Amino acid sequence: MELILKYFPNLTKQQIEQFEALLPLYKEWNEKINVISRKDIDELYLRHVLHSLAIAKVMPFANGSSILDVGTGGGFPGVPLAILFPECQFHLVDSINKKLKVIKGVVDALSLENIRTTHSRVEAIDEQYDFIVSRAVTSMPEFTKWVKGKIRKEQINDFKNGILYLKGGDLSEELKQYTRVKLFPLTHYFKEDFFETKKVVYLPIKHK
């Protein structure tokens, strides 16, 4: 938890309490439904919470933004971002229902009213959002096919609406077809070794 306060020192009392509650909640749920590896659960704040919040360093969402989290798994990056941005709406989607059961348990315990979940493949979601976030669920060309037509035309943020994708390693081949893509290395924001090769990939998407 010290890690979160180190990089996000201006949290409200409620936000601090919600972030502090994440570890016991996920430990309890992980005993019933395994959504996080045993190694990762002990480093939840580094590997999952802070990693998710990297998106906030790149794009501090304006109040009223709507964000779709694709393949959310145990609720990352959606749950930490929803705590940080209580005035934004988050839609967490996953094709594996038992993972969403964990998220619902966490959301209810934290009284997070700005999250809703859907058990579905993302292609079947017929809505539009300001931003689509995810943690490396597939390659970018495949991902852009999944989310086609899901970006809103109206813009309320400093960045153009589009995709904010957490990914690591060498992405030059995967991203070579995108002329407007921007990479934000997480070492610009966080000093821990875990973030050495990790990035936020920002891809603005034209509304169609």
Side-chain angles (χ1 to χ4, degrees):
M1 186 57 208
E2 292 81 19
L3 258 185
I4 308 305
L5 290 169
K6 175 180 170 183
Y7 292 110
F8 295 89
N10 300 320
L11 299 175
T12 65
K13 183 169 177 283
Q14 183 182 29
Q15 286 171 322
I16 292 169
E17 286 169 0
Q18 287 171 327
F19 278 123
E20 281 177 339
L22 287 178
L23 184 60
L25 279 170
Y26 274 105
K27 276 192 166 173
E28 185 185 334
W29 274 103
N30 225 40
E31 303 271 314
K32 305 173 206 167
I33 300 170
N34 191 257
V35 290
I36 297 170
S37 75
R38 298 227 182 282
K39 183 178 79 171
D40 278 9
I41 199 82
D42 291 331
E43 295 196 71
L44 182 83
Y45 288 106
L46 173 70
R47 292 171 172 263
H48 294 280
V49 181
L50 193 59
H51 190 205
S52 298
L53 294 176
I55 287 173
K57 290 291 189 187
V58 172
M59 178 68 255
F61 298 116
N63 288 352
S65 297
S66 60
I67 296 106
L68 173 67
D69 179 2
V70 175
T72 187
F76 302 99
V79 169
L81 289 172
I83 293 173
L84 196 64
F85 298 107
E87 302 301 321
C88 298
Q89 296 301 314
F90 291 83
H91 187 183
L92 278 52
V93 174
D94 205 283
S95 59
I96 300 171
N97 202 27
K98 67 178 184 178
K99 293 182 177 179
L100 295 175
K101 192 176 173 187
V102 174
I103 296 168
K104 283 175 187 166
V106 170
V107 165
D108 289 347
L110 298 178
S111 303
L112 286 173
E113 293 177 2
N114 60 335
I115 286 182
R116 62 191 169 106
T117 59
T118 301
H119 172 222
S120 171
R121 290 178 62 81
V122 69
E123 298 94 319
I125 301 290
D126 187 22
E127 294 179 51
Q128 292 190 328
Y129 308 84
D130 296 296
F131 286 94
I132 298 171
V133 300
S134 191
R135 283 211 302 180
V137 289
T138 186
S139 70
M140 186 61 88
E142 186 70 13
F143 191 74
T144 52
K145 282 185 210 162
W146 290 0
V147 301
K148 194 174 179 189
K150 297 183 187 359
I151 295 290
R152 284 177 60 201
K153 185 178 183 182
E154 299 75 28
Q155 197 182 310
I156 59 171
N157 285 277
D158 292 341
F159 282 22
K160 288 195 165 112
N161 296 352
I163 293 167
L164 291 160
Y165 206 54
L166 290 162
K167 206 151 190 196
D170 182 2
L171 305 174
S172 49
E173 188 64 28
E174 181 180 328
L175 299 175
K176 66 181 180 185
Q177 64 179 282
Y178 303 106
T179 54
R180 299 163 78 217
V181 74
K182 283 189 182 167
L183 300 181
F184 295 87
L186 299 197
T187 48
H188 288 183
Y189 311 104
F190 308 136
K191 300 292 177 239
E192 288 69 23
D193 292 345
F194 173 72
F195 298 108
E196 202 166 305
T197 65
K198 293 181 168 54
K199 303 164 189 76
V200 172
V201 181
Y202 165 57
L203 182 63
I205 301 281
K206 283 183 182 169
H207 174 81
K208 288 178 183 171

